[in-house]
Amino acid sequence: MQLVSLDDIRTAADRVRGEVLRTPLLSAPWADADRPLWLKPENLQPIGAFKLRGASNALAALDDRTRRQGVAKGQGVVAYSSGNHAQAVARAAQRFGVPAHIVMPEGTPQVKIDGTRLYGAEVVLVPLAERESTAFRLVDELGAALVPPFDHPDIIAGQGTAGLEIADDFPDVELVLVPVSGGGLASGVGTAVKALCPNAAVYGVEPELAADAADSLRAGHVVEWPVADRARTVADGLRAQPTELTFAHLRAVLDGIVTVTDDEICEAMRVLATRNRLIAEPSGAVPLAAYLHRSGELPRGRTVVVVSGGNVDRAMLADVLG
Amino acid sequence: MQLVSLDDIRTAADRVRGEVLRTPLLSAPWADADRPLWLKPENLQPIGAFKLRGASNALAALDDRTRRQGVAKGQGVVAYSSGNHAQAVARAAQRFGVPAHIVMPEGTPQVKIDGTRLYGAEVVLVPLAERESTAFRLVDELGAALVPPFDHPDIIAGQGTAGLEIADDFPDVELVLVPVSGGGLASGVGTAVKALCPNAAVYGVEPELAADAADSLRAGHVVEWPVADRARTVADGLRAQPTELTFAHLRAVLDGIVTVTDDEICEAMRVLATRNRLIAEPSGAVPLAAYLHRSGELPRGRTVVVVSGGNVDRAMLADVLG
């Protein structure tokens, strides 16, 4: 299997320049002295999550002629997601002038539907079980391109641009903590960081209620968890599981994987809000939860945690802070 | 009266490089199409507010020999503040290896005292009325340098580095909205923006419950408001008033000043949290409140609002969000 390379990620970085925010590293002066901490705030991306990196790279990678033909024929792109990938594809498509159909399950919170429509995408609401089949039907009917949430080299390379920035800004980094769900972000960030900072360790972090990737790495092959089990965690962005493609990357680039509890995730959200004035969604706080509560399982040293996103309901946020 | 110049601000930018975060401009895709909006998130500074810019420039401007002698004799710097200036001077002094005494009024929330001690400063608690006199006594006794919160060219030039970044990143900006209290930030940002983007308008924004600068600009001289009146606004960072030095800058660089209500400030905090995943303190949300509610009094066009700080109690934040 061909893995995404540093060159692929550099190409992606050239393509998405101007489309995604080059997020700064934020210091955390309150952290332990022997393992100083910086945050990579992907929640500050225009759509509030790192997903814009992969989606922008995927849109940019559509060959120009294909894109123009697609627009002329109204084909465009299709994605299915109830989460950050929906808004990411909608915004990237709008920026590239490409029509987008986003398939969302009925019952998706109105705020996410509105957020997706804000970027001019056509939202198609279907029963949860018909989400994928509807997306594939639209691809066929429209002659459109599917933009998958993580299972594609262009997506992995796009997410990897976050790792490229970490390595460029902070070549002396010793530990990078990144959340794992479908594995696109961890695959891309790990590939960039390990290539450019060979002495840095890269650890994945999962909710213990959706620890399928941890199980998979231990077993040496993808271990499936039932959807209902993975759905228990408060970290609603981390309920997917790796594919063969992302799993191959995770095996190659991760030094390990640790898991955290839902209570620890909520505490990390509070710490980000009160100490660094950042709003993280539960999934975005997972790596900091590991920094705070799993130090014994991690190398000590200069640490970067990726705050992957910040799209959280106001009511939930008030509840976590209150 | 000699006003701070663009050159002074450029010198400050060279001095504070590496000490302060070069904050990015964040897009606000939800804004009105005919006046697109970007946020300058100074709440992401290590101490959570723009004040680190001025304090770092003031510390850097202390002549090297003075600084070394000061350290040898334990003199260092003194500041009085119960707010963001306290942590800013404490952190800047720590970074420059200079001892710092920070005079705070009794009753200052413990979190702010702890935040100041985190950077190694000596906190001196005194009754509110003795704050200034204690600071001046310490300056005399220690032979230390006073770092004022806004009434000094080095402070104004330091705060102006935020304006320099806006002009560098976004030369086509048409309107900059900045909060006004003592006027250091508005003076510095206005000076930089007007020098580099002569077609941009710069407006100050005040809470209507502490609109002394608006009154002063109308009157053409500094109009004093009683402390008790200024203390009513929820924007606790905007209760100071301009001095002759900052007022002279405000007259020179501001195109106007608008005021907002406390309710509008709280709504702007909610918008920043839910739409841009930023935690602002009330003072930091004041410019966005003007964008949202005073469009009729402002030029239309490409707008930057300075989110000046994010140090807000968790309970208050939960209350505003809930």
Side-chain angles (χ1 to χ4, degrees):
Chain A
M1 187 181 299
Q2 177 91 21
L3 299 190
V4 166
S5 69
L6 180 61
D7 278 349
D8 296 330
I9 298 173
R10 289 200 193 280
T11 302
D14 288 339
R15 285 186 188 136
V16 305
R17 192 164 295 129
E19 298 304 316
V20 307
L21 180 70
R22 194 188 191 293
T23 51
L25 288 178
L26 305 181
S27 69
W30 48 268
D32 296 343
D34 66 336
R35 42 183 206 135
L37 177 66
W38 285 263
L39 313 172
K40 180 75 172 166
E42 290 297 303
N43 58 332
L44 301 182
Q45 292 293 348
I47 64 129
F50 74 94
K51 293 272 186 185
L52 188 61
R53 294 178 183 270
S56 297
N57 188 44
L59 264 292
L62 289 178
D63 152 89
D64 263 352
R65 206 165 59 108
T66 309
R67 214 187 294 142
R68 276 200 309 278
Q69 283 183 341
V71 175
K73 297 183 189 161
Q75 296 164 327
V77 293
V78 170
Y80 55 94
S81 165
S82 56
N84 293 328
H85 183 59
Q87 291 184 59
V89 172
R91 175 161 166 116
Q94 184 185 51
R95 297 276 301 183
F96 284 97
V98 169
H101 286 79
I102 311 290
V103 183
M104 301 181 111
E106 286 163 3
T108 297
Q110 192 63 37
V111 61
K112 296 195 172 178
I113 297 172
D114 293 346
T116 305
R117 286 185 176 143
L118 178 68
Y119 301 112
E122 185 77 28
V123 172
V124 182
L125 289 171
V126 298
L128 181 62
E130 296 171 23
R131 210 167 61 146
E132 292 192 36
S133 62
T134 305
F136 284 110
R137 185 174 52 72
L138 279 168
V139 165
D140 283 346
E141 284 179 12
L142 298 168
L146 185 74
V147 184
F150 47 84
D151 190 30
H152 194 284
D154 290 337
I155 300 290
I156 294 171
Q159 320 302 27
T161 58
L164 204 59
E165 293 170 8
I166 293 171
D168 280 350
D169 289 349
F170 195 19
D172 293 338
V173 64
E174 295 173 294
L175 174 63
V176 176
L177 298 176
V178 58
V180 178
S181 178
L185 179 66
S187 295
V189 167
T191 298
V193 171
K194 297 301 272 190
L196 293 166
C197 312
N199 295 323
V202 179
Y203 274 68
V205 190
E206 276 190 314
E208 65 177 39
L209 293 177
D212 51 283
D215 272 2
S216 300
L217 282 172
R218 254 191 305 271
H221 58 85
V222 174
V223 174
E224 307 257 342
W225 276 39
V227 173
D229 285 2
R230 285 184 267 134
R232 293 169 302 168
T233 176
V234 67
D236 55 304
L238 301 185
R239 293 170 181 166
Q241 56 184 24
T243 58
E244 292 299 333
L245 178 69
T246 53
F247 184 66
H249 285 81
L250 299 181
R251 286 190 75 169
V253 298
L254 291 189
D255 294 279
I257 194 161
V258 298
T259 62
V260 293
T261 69
D262 276 18
D263 281 350
E264 290 164 346
I265 295 168
C266 291
E267 194 204 321
M269 288 176 70
R270 275 193 293 278
V271 170
L272 286 167
T274 56
R275 300 216 167 208
N276 273 84
R277 296 154 289 276
L278 288 177
I279 293 176
E281 59 187 274
S283 309
V286 160
L288 181 64
Y291 175 90
L292 295 172
H293 297 287
R294 293 295 175 277
S295 61
E297 301 171 38
L298 295 168
R300 301 189 89 72
R302 294 177 289 274
T303 303
V304 170
V305 302
V306 179
V307 181
S308 54
N311 290 319
V312 55
D313 280 351
R314 191 173 111 190
M316 187 198 174
L317 181 64
D319 194 47
V320 166
L321 292 175
Chain B
M1 186 184 296
Q2 177 90 21
L3 299 190
V4 166
S5 69
L6 180 61
D7 277 351
D8 296 331
I9 298 172
R10 288 201 193 281
T11 302
D14 288 339
R15 284 186 188 135
V16 305
R17 193 163 294 128
E19 298 303 316
V20 307
L21 180 69
R22 195 188 192 294
T23 51
L25 288 178
L26 305 181
S27 69
W30 49 268
D32 296 343
D34 65 337
R35 41 183 206 136
L37 177 66
W38 285 262
L39 313 172
K40 179 75 172 165
E42 290 297 302
N43 57 333
L44 301 182
Q45 292 292 349
I47 64 129
F50 73 93
K51 293 273 187 186
L52 188 62
R53 295 177 182 270
S56 297
N57 188 45
L59 264 291
L62 290 177
D63 153 86
D64 263 353
R65 205 165 59 108
T66 308
R67 214 186 295 142
R68 278 200 308 277
Q69 282 183 344
V71 174
K73 294 182 189 162
Q75 296 164 327
V77 293
V78 170
Y80 55 94
S81 165
S82 56
N84 293 329
H85 182 59
Q87 291 183 59
V89 173
R91 174 159 166 120
Q94 184 186 50
R95 296 276 301 183
F96 284 96
V98 169
H101 286 77
I102 311 290
V103 183
M104 300 180 112
E106 288 164 0
T108 297
Q110 192 62 38
V111 61
K112 296 194 172 180
I113 297 172
D114 293 344
T116 305
R117 286 184 176 144
L118 178 68
Y119 301 113
E122 185 78 27
V123 172
V124 183
L125 288 171
V126 299
L128 180 62
E130 296 171 24
R131 208 167 62 146
E132 292 192 36
S133 63
T134 304
F136 285 111
R137 184 175 54 70
L138 279 168
V139 165
D140 284 346
E141 283 179 14
L142 298 168
L146 185 74
V147 183
F150 48 83
D151 190 30
H152 193 285
D154 290 338
I155 301 291
I156 293 171
Q159 319 303 26
T161 59
L164 205 58
E165 293 170 7
I166 293 171
D168 281 350
D169 288 348
F170 195 18
D172 293 338
V173 64
E174 294 173 294
L175 173 64
V176 176
L177 298 175
V178 58
V180 178
S181 178
L185 178 65
S187 295
V189 167
T191 299
V193 171
K194 296 302 270 189
L196 292 166
C197 311
N199 295 324
V202 179
Y203 274 69
V205 190
E206 276 191 313
E208 65 176 41
L209 293 176
D212 52 282
D215 273 2
S216 301
L217 282 172
R218 253 192 306 271
H221 58 84
V222 173
V223 174
E224 308 257 342
W225 276 39
V227 173
D229 285 1
R230 285 184 267 135
R232 294 169 302 168
T233 175
V234 67
D236 55 302
L238 301 184
R239 293 170 181 165
Q241 56 184 23
T243 59
E244 293 298 334
L245 178 68
T246 53
F247 183 65
H249 285 82
L250 298 182
R251 287 189 74 169
V253 299
L254 290 191
D255 293 279
I257 193 161
V258 296
T259 63
V260 292
T261 68
D262 276 18
D263 280 351
E264 290 164 346
I265 295 169
C266 291
E267 195 205 320
M269 288 175 69
R270 274 193 294 278
V271 170
L272 286 167
T274 55
R275 300 215 165 209
N276 273 86
R277 297 154 288 276
L278 289 177
I279 293 176
E281 59 187 273
S283 309
V286 160
L288 181 64
Y291 175 89
L292 295 172
H293 298 286
R294 293 296 174 276
S295 61
E297 302 171 36
L298 296 168
R300 301 189 88 73
R302 294 177 288 274
T303 303
V304 170
V305 301
V306 179
V307 181
S308 55
N311 290 318
V312 56
D313 280 351
R314 191 173 111 189
M316 186 198 175
L317 181 64
D319 194 45
V320 166
L321 292 175

